[in-house]
Amino acid sequence: MFGYVTIDKPELKVKEFYRYKSYYCGLCRTLKEEYGFRGRMTLSYDMAFLVLFLTSLYEVPTKELQSHCPLHPVKKIPMLQNEISEYGAKMNILLVYFKCEDDWKDDKSLKGITGMRLFRKKAKELCREYKRQAHVIQKQLKVLAAYEEQQEENLDLVAGAFGTLMAELFVYKKDMWEKELRNFGFYLGKFIYIMDAYDDLEEDLKTGSYNPLKAVKKNSKDDNDYENTVQQILVMMMAEATAAFEKLPLLWDSEILRNILYSGVWAKYNKKQKEKQEKQERDGK
């Protein structure tokens, strides 16, 4: 996961921020309980959002508790945990394991083989428990690896592979909400993938690493045209995601969810835009 699906803290009420933080910390505790310190290292904002989102949709009974954590060793902090916390933790581990597996197969990376060894046993158990999600995660990561090897330039095709992966994670169970959950997860996944590519483009141009936005930049008239094109694509992705979101009966913590989807997801984009503007002003002096 990439960490783009997070809150816009200044726009949240204090009580809403601490409630969000309680879900985030609850997921962290679940990862620690189930997978030890290695599990806690995989914690992501994106998966915390998944927990908050599905808890709201299914109105799952949630346990409130106070507990210590490494960052707060003295004072206990509030945490929220439920069955969706467990689901989020399990999906997190599957994502990490299969990503490490692909990294090892593709690049023989030390990080890849280390991650595989750390999570292999648990991942095998989870593959049996969540066959549908495990199959799609593994398949779509292989598709993405193939696109990278082929230097695929079709952005919609490549981002769609990650969108398909994310869509499967949001389908907690096959029921009346499945269609909208898939639509939501698909477009949010595409947004995440494109944002990550946008974030990495400058570095990838220097290193020669694969990035599907290279083709978009090459085919743009100038930098402004490129920036406008990427912005329009990202806006379209989030428009589709939020359209699906608004069709779902998400009443619990709806203000936090809207804060994330209408503002928080743009935090890194806005930060990058500000950095570019400041650089232009410095270079213009």
Side-chain angles (χ1 to χ4, degrees):
M1 306 295 275
F2 302 96
Y4 294 106
V5 190
T6 187
I7 56 169
D8 180 2
K9 184 178 175 181
E11 296 301 318
L12 274 181
K13 295 177 182 177
V14 173
K15 66 177 182 179
E16 291 169 346
F17 168 72
Y18 282 108
R19 185 163 174 81
Y20 169 79
K21 189 170 179 291
S22 295
Y23 275 109
Y24 181 82
C25 293
L27 175 60
C28 181
R29 188 172 190 267
T30 302
L31 284 164
K32 171 65 168 60
E33 289 171 340
E34 297 293 328
Y35 310 104
F37 180 72
R38 59 186 174 170
R40 179 173 270 165
M41 289 191 303
T42 70
L43 179 66
S44 73
Y45 290 118
D46 304 315
M47 205 54 68
F49 172 77
L50 177 77
V51 172
L52 183 69
F53 184 96
L54 292 176
T55 296
S56 176
L57 178 62
Y58 291 106
E59 299 185 351
V60 179
T62 301
K63 176 176 65 177
E64 297 183 31
L65 64 150
Q66 301 275 332
S67 180
H68 293 292
C69 82
L71 296 178
H72 304 86
V74 179
K75 184 179 178 181
K76 289 184 177 181
I77 59 173
M79 298 182 181
L80 294 170
Q81 285 181 301
N82 55 35
E83 66 181 62
I84 306 293
S85 305
E86 294 178 14
Y87 175 75
K90 290 172 179 178
M91 293 303 102
N92 215 45
I93 296 302
L94 280 177
L95 280 169
V96 170
Y97 176 77
F98 284 126
K99 180 65 171 66
C100 289
E101 184 180 67
D102 272 1
D103 288 347
W104 171 245
K105 289 178 179 177
D106 295 342
D107 307 317
K108 301 301 180 201
S109 73
L110 179 61
K111 183 179 179 181
I113 190 64
T114 301
M116 285 176 63
R117 287 172 177 169
L118 283 173
F119 298 110
R120 182 181 283 118
K121 183 178 179 181
K122 289 292 186 180
K124 285 183 178 179
E125 294 173 4
L126 294 175
C127 285
R128 290 192 291 269
E129 185 179 1
Y130 293 97
K131 292 180 181 179
R132 170 173 57 85
Q133 291 93 331
H135 171 73
V136 173
I137 292 170
Q138 188 174 29
K139 179 182 177 181
Q140 294 308 313
L141 287 177
K142 285 181 178 178
V143 169
L144 283 168
Y147 285 152
E148 182 173 348
E149 186 177 350
Q150 298 161 13
Q151 297 290 299
E152 177 60 60
E153 294 186 348
N154 186 327
L155 180 63
D156 190 57
L157 195 65
V158 182
F162 191 74
T164 300
L165 184 159
M166 285 292 289
E168 207 64 40
L169 299 188
F170 275 89
V171 180
Y172 179 53
K173 52 188 174 183
K174 288 178 172 286
D175 58 16
M176 63 187 295
W177 308 120
E178 180 181 355
K179 180 182 176 181
E180 294 307 332
L181 285 170
R182 283 193 185 280
N183 285 337
F184 175 79
F186 179 72
Y187 287 106
L188 181 65
K190 290 183 75 173
F191 174 89
I192 291 170
Y193 186 89
I194 296 166
M195 260 304 308
D196 189 60
Y198 177 74
D199 211 17
D200 291 345
L201 182 64
E202 290 180 25
E203 186 64 26
D204 290 340
L205 287 170
K206 293 176 185 175
T207 62
S209 299
Y210 171 71
N211 190 316
L213 284 182
K214 287 181 180 180
V216 177
K217 191 170 181 67
K218 182 176 68 176
N219 295 326
S220 299
K221 290 183 247 179
D222 51 34
D223 285 346
N224 285 336
D225 185 40
Y226 164 72
E227 292 290 342
N228 289 335
T229 299
V230 173
Q231 184 185 50
Q232 288 172 14
I233 294 170
L234 290 171
V235 168
M236 283 191 291
M237 295 305 101
M238 283 312 300
E240 293 287 351
T242 52
F245 164 79
E246 295 295 351
K247 292 178 183 178
L248 293 164
L250 295 152
L251 301 178
W252 288 13
D253 302 310
S254 59
E255 292 306 311
I256 304 175
L257 292 169
R258 286 191 169 85
N259 171 275
I260 293 169
L261 293 173
Y262 289 99
S263 183
V265 295
W266 294 100
K268 288 190 178 182
Y269 177 83
N270 292 334
K271 181 182 178 183
K272 198 165 188 69
Q273 290 298 305
K274 184 178 179 181
E275 289 171 352
K276 286 185 177 183
Q277 184 177 356
E278 289 173 349
K279 184 177 184 300
Q280 288 175 350
E281 290 172 354
R282 288 196 304 270
D283 293 345
K285 290 181 180 179

